[in-house]
Amino acid sequence: MIILSDKLREQLLANGRQRDIDHVPVVKSFNPLGEGVWLATELDADGDTLFGLADIGEPELGYFSLKEMSSISLPFGMGIERDILFTGDLSIAVWAEAAHRAGSIRAAEHIVYAVARARRGASDALPSQAQT
């Protein structure tokens, strides 16, 4: 699977030009056979250096290589995959805090999605409350 589509690559590059913002993750990549999850928010102009939250045993904010991720060869001819259903919803700082508290990105997903749902529910409720 192609880890980055052209659209995702453009969004990551645009985010990379705005380093002073706490971006929402654009793409989630994962090892389908074991440990390893990466949430990327930015891509450097070099086309290889991603910034985001990586979890290969312990979640850590930092830089990682797209080429290295793409070159990982797993059993059965598999490689690192992109989660095509992923929606970042909240900033990378929120993801990092949740992952550190939960112990991993995978464990944090339940927390982050619950928070995002609660925020959406609260914002959906505001207009109806104003009408009453």
Side-chain angles (χ1 to χ4, degrees):
M1 170 182 275
I2 297 172
I3 293 178
L4 293 182
S5 66
D6 290 341
K7 182 178 178 181
L8 294 173
R9 181 179 301 278
E10 288 303 316
Q11 181 61 55
L12 288 165
L13 286 167
N15 288 355
R17 291 187 290 271
Q18 298 177 330
R19 299 258 180 204
D20 57 338
I21 296 174
D22 185 20
H23 294 288
V24 170
V26 174
V27 64
K28 173 187 171 192
S29 302
F30 66 98
N31 176 346
L33 299 178
E35 196 169 63
V37 178
W38 299 263
L39 300 177
T41 59
E42 303 168 18
L43 178 62
D44 282 352
D46 67 8
D48 178 48
T49 307
L50 292 160
F51 177 80
L53 185 63
D55 185 355
I56 309 172
E58 183 176 327
E60 183 178 340
L61 275 173
Y63 294 91
F64 42 95
S65 169
L66 177 61
K67 289 176 189 168
E68 285 182 21
M69 282 177 35
S70 300
S71 69
I72 294 173
S73 180
L74 301 170
F76 313 110
M78 298 182 80
I80 301 303
E81 297 281 331
R82 175 171 44 99
D83 183 344
I84 60 173
L85 300 177
F86 175 75
T87 57
D89 291 324
L90 300 171
S91 75
I92 197 68
V94 173
W95 277 96
E97 182 179 346
H100 286 289
R101 288 182 184 214
S104 72
I105 293 173
R106 286 185 171 134
E109 284 183 289
H110 302 291
I111 298 165
V112 172
Y113 289 136
V115 169
R117 279 193 304 276
R119 286 186 178 180
R120 280 194 304 268
S123 67
D124 291 345
L126 292 176
S128 63
Q129 290 173 350
Q131 293 174 0
T132 57

